[in-house]
Amino acid sequence: MSIDITMLRAIEILDSRARPTLSVTVELAGGAVARAGVPSGASTGSGEAVELRDGDPARYGGQGVRTAVGHVNGEIAGAVCGRSFADQAALDQALIDLDGTPNKSRLGANALIGVSMAVARAAAAQRDVPLWRYLGPDGVSPLLPVPHFNVLNGGAHATNPLDFQEFMIAPLGAPDLAEAVRAGAEVYAALRRRLSEGGHSTGLGDEGGFAPDLTRPEEALTLLVAAIEDAGYTPGRDGVAIALDPAASEFRQPGGTYHVGGEKLTSDDLIARYRRIVEDFPVWSIEDGLGEDDHDGWVRLTEQLGERVQLVGDDNFVTNPTVIAHAIEDGIANASLIKLNQIGTVTETLHAMAVCRQAGYGAMVSHRSGETEDSFIADLAVGSGCGQIKTGAPARGERAAKYNRLLEIAAHHPELPFGLRP
Ligand SMILES: C=C(OP(=O)(O)O)C(=O)O
Ligand SMILES: [Mg+2]
């Protein structure tokens, strides 16, 4: 069934940080209509596809979201409306060709991903299949992913002194998705109690996790383990484990040292710190443990910890299939984070996941710190069978929307298995 676009329209809306972003609506011949909301990150990798948005002009080239909206309603609509595309890949290739730059900076990655996501959703509706089934590659079994709830925020997502950006709980031992979501909610509530009893703030960071005035990551981990126990779960892989995203590029200094809780650390110091953390706490996954430019450090980190924990590349991989393929050759990390807007089309995102799958690398689908109520990534995680998703705290509408979509898929499809990819 071809994709025949009859109408394409974008408007400017707000994201969860009250910053502008795009909503894109598409209509296909036959009447299917669908909409997509475009997310936006704060701790971005330098190799990400370039979004046109408001903010620091030095970073965004001074072009705002309205420019991206104008591109959708003008040049992109002019090029795709009335045309017939064989499939999603053909539509996405047409978008890439129309933009004509290697990093989607002319029309804007936010314009392109909005169109690509809206078309995918409309094409699924036209075929009368759920989005996750439309996105699922041939020969890949769908899987309900283990949710990773970011319950403590620091770094670029909060104004507290905590340098590590994300402390997530991962109910790896849950029997099904509904129980995993329940564990996330219960540990979140227990953590709120612990924090307020300890005199800490329960104010929230950008992803809905608490942002208390803690300094050392180990203090945060100690509280998290206590909250897991308070909620009646066993800390660890058989119960509720912990995943970290230090987002180390954000605290790497120009000379190459890392500043963590007031201490200056070399790459090897930081790797040694992670080794101790993994010994002392039930941490099963570390994302962006080192900075995006610290290639040699990443090789040593992978040699020393790659057998023991999942090591996820985000800022350094930017969901780019070519970059991930090189990293696999170089022995860097053993998993990739997957963010649609880092690369800019649905097809390239699926390609990045295929590269991971073929190499035996893990893949974790991710939201951005700036989100909308769009739940596309829930379907992407299920259809791709990657077994993992992170989409913030189990609170706040824009994060809960993704967990609720997973619950809906699970309820309607009890035949779908749950868990990490085998
Ligand atoms: C989700 C993340 O944050 P941001 O969207 O700010 O890049 C991340 O770093 O993994
Ligand atoms: Mg990250």
Side-chain angles (χ1 to χ4, degrees):
M1 194 184 280
S2 63
I3 296 174
D4 301 293
I5 300 172
T6 53
M7 188 279 293
L8 181 64
R9 179 155 180 78
I11 61 167
E12 187 183 57
I13 60 166
L14 289 180
D15 74 10
S16 55
R17 279 192 281 247
R19 295 187 195 154
T21 188
L22 291 85
S23 168
V24 177
T25 303
V26 67
E27 182 173 356
L28 303 184
V33 177
R35 188 161 57 93
V38 177
S40 178
S43 60
T44 48
S46 58
E48 294 196 16
V50 176
E51 49 180 8
L52 303 181
R53 59 171 299 142
D54 309 276
D56 177 3
R59 191 160 171 198
Y60 299 120
Q63 297 192 75
V65 167
R66 288 181 188 177
T67 310
V69 168
H71 287 325
V72 175
N73 294 335
E75 195 173 336
I76 300 175
V80 302
C81 290
R83 248 176 92 183
S84 183
F85 297 95
D87 53 20
Q88 183 78 33
L91 175 270
D92 286 337
Q93 191 56 51
L95 295 175
I96 293 165
D97 294 343
L98 186 66
D99 172 76
T101 67
N103 57 7
K104 304 185 175 71
S105 57
R106 194 177 74 79
L107 295 172
N110 45 352
L112 267 48
I113 194 63
V115 174
S116 185
M117 288 163 68
V119 167
R121 192 173 263 137
Q126 187 189 34
R127 286 157 179 71
D128 203 21
V129 295
L131 179 58
W132 57 268
R133 217 184 269 289
Y134 173 80
L135 294 173
D138 287 343
V140 171
S141 303
L143 184 59
L144 293 162
V146 177
H148 286 60
F149 303 96
N150 181 11
V151 293
L152 266 175
N153 297 183
H157 296 168
T159 50
N160 57 1
L162 210 47
D163 292 302
F164 283 14
Q165 179 178 281
E166 299 174 24
F167 295 79
M168 293 169 271
I169 49 168
L172 297 180
D176 57 36
L177 180 87
E179 286 302 309
V181 172
R182 175 193 177 128
E186 289 177 351
V187 175
Y188 186 71
L191 182 60
R192 183 194 279 116
R193 273 195 301 276
R194 276 258 163 198
L195 287 169
S196 49
E197 280 165 19
H200 298 290
S201 155
T202 52
L204 304 181
D206 284 357
E207 297 188 351
F210 303 110
D213 259 14
L214 303 172
T215 305
R216 288 171 51 81
E218 290 81 359
E219 288 176 80
L221 285 163
T222 302
L223 267 168
L224 211 44
V225 170
I228 292 169
E229 286 170 341
D230 289 350
Y233 295 93
T234 310
R237 294 190 192 213
D238 295 336
V240 177
I242 294 173
L244 295 174
D245 178 7
S249 297
E250 297 289 323
F251 54 82
R252 190 166 199 231
Q253 306 303 309
T257 55
Y258 295 90
H259 286 192
V260 179
E263 292 176 60
K264 286 188 186 155
L265 306 176
T266 63
S267 302
D268 288 326
D269 293 338
L270 188 51
I271 294 169
R273 185 84 167 255
Y274 291 136
R275 288 173 66 128
R276 279 198 300 279
I277 283 176
V278 166
E279 284 293 323
D280 295 345
F281 299 96
V283 169
W284 94 276
S285 177
I286 303 174
E287 174 189 331
D288 279 356
L290 295 173
E292 64 172 21
D293 297 328
D294 193 354
H295 181 277
D296 296 348
W298 266 101
V299 172
R300 294 197 298 280
L301 173 68
T302 310
E303 282 165 2
Q304 294 187 38
L305 276 172
E307 295 290 316
R308 183 150 184 190
V309 291
Q310 175 171 263
L311 298 171
V312 186
D314 171 15
D315 286 354
N316 51 349
F317 288 4
V318 292
T319 316
N320 185 314
T322 309
V323 175
I324 297 170
H326 283 142
I328 290 167
E329 275 171 26
D330 292 351
I332 284 179
N334 52 31
S336 177
L337 206 68
I338 299 292
K339 292 166 165 169
L340 286 149
N341 78 323
Q342 272 185 332
I343 186 71
T345 64
V346 169
T347 302
E348 290 165 289
T349 305
L350 292 171
H351 184 190
M353 299 185 88
V355 169
C356 291
R357 212 167 34 243
Q358 281 149 18
Y361 265 43
M364 184 192 283
V365 167
S366 172
H367 65 156
R368 298 309 304 247
S369 51
E371 267 294 337
T372 74
E373 67 281 11
D374 192 301
S375 60
F376 194 99
I377 59 168
D379 287 77
L380 176 63
V382 174
S384 66
C386 68
Q388 306 178 49
I389 189 171
K390 70 166 194 176
T391 183
R396 296 191 14 164
E398 79 281 1
R399 315 291 152 183
K402 282 71 162 169
Y403 296 122
N404 288 343
R405 173 64 183 151
L406 290 173
L407 288 167
E408 191 177 66
I409 297 171
H412 291 159
H413 295 277
E415 76 282 5
L416 289 177
F418 161 80
L420 296 176
R421 196 174 70 208

